[in-house]
Amino acid sequence: MSSGGSRARGRVPLMAGNWKMYKTSGEGADFVRHLAGELGVANDREVVVAPPFTGLASAVAAARGSSVKVAAQDVFWQAEGAFTGEIAPGMLTDLGVYAVIIGHSERRQFFGETDETVAKKVRAALDNGLLPIVCVGETEAEREAGAMEAVLSRQVPKGLAGVVATEAGALAIAYEPIWAIGTGRTATAEAAQQAIAFVRSQVGAVLGEEAAESVRVLYGGSVKPDNIDELMAQPDIDGVLVGGASLKVETFKRIVQFNEA
Ligand code: PGA
C-alpha cells in the first residue's frame, strides 16, 4: 500500500480517534477490545484512540498486546504540584499512555488554551516521551477574511516554540479547520492538502527542511468513511484526527483501513 508520495519517506500514517467527553471507562475498554480484534496486527500505520482521562487505564489494559495505542486529550506541563484538576505527563506515561492531544480547538475556545500554554505542554510531553498531537486551525470568520495562512503562521511557530529540529519526527500536528469540526462540512481533499502543505512549510520555516519532511501532519474535521480515501491520497496528509466517526468501531475501522489511490 504505497502512494508513491512523500509518506514513502518514512512518515507512518497516524489514524487517531478523539472521543472527547464520550464513553465511560467500561465502554472505552469494550471499544478497544472490539477494534483490536477487528484490526489484527497492522504495522504499516499507527492506530490511536483518545478516551477521557477516566478511561485511559482501562483502554491501555484492553489494548495490551494489540496494535491499538492510547492517547490523552490534554496534559498539564508541571511534573506535580498544587494544580487542582490537572494531570501531569508522568501520570500518563505511568499508565502506558502513548500520545497526547494538545491545543484542540475546543480547549482553546472553552478552556483558555493559548499558543503559549500549547508550547509548554508540547515541551513537557516531549520531555516525558509522549507523542504530542498539536492542533491548529482557523475559524470560519478567519477563513472568510482570508486569514488562514496568518493564523497558521502564528499557531505553528508559537506552538512549537520549545521544540528542536531533531524532535520533529517525535511529534504530530493536526490541522483542523474549526468550521469543519463536528459540522459534517469536511474541507475538500485539495483544500486540506493545500493547508497542510502550508503547515509543513511553517515547520520548515522554524525548524528547517528536514524537520518539515519528518513531521507528521494530520487532517481533522468531519472525517468519515466516505472521505477518508481521498484525504489519505493527498501527498502531505499523513493521517487524521477523527471525532464523531471514531465513536463507533465500524466507522473508525473503515477510516483506519483507508485505501490509498
Ligand atoms: P469531528 O471532530 O471529526 O467530529 O469533526 C474532529 C476533532 O474535533 O478532532
Side-chain angles (χ1 to χ4, degrees), residues 14 131-137 152 156-157 160 168 171-176 196 199-200 202-203 207 215-220 238-239 241:
L14 174 56
L131 171 84
I133 302 173
V134 189
C135 301
V136 298
L152 296 176
V156 174
L160 304 190
L171 66 88
I173 300 174
Y175 166 67
E176 302 201 298
I196 283 175
V199 167
R200 194 178 301 289
Q202 289 307 296
V203 175
L207 296 179
V215 71
R216 287 184 288 182
V217 190
L218 320 182
Y219 169 77
D238 300 321
L241 183 56

Side-chain angles (χ1 to χ4, degrees), residues 9-40:
R9 289 201 278 273
R11 300 199 304 261
V12 176
L14 174 56
M15 316 305 284
N18 171 14
W19 291 350
K20 308 192 179 183
M21 202 173 72
Y22 292 97
K23 295 195 191 295
T24 62
S25 161
E27 289 165 350
D30 287 347
F31 180 106
V32 170
R33 266 190 295 273
H34 185 180
L35 179 69
E38 294 277 324
L39 292 180

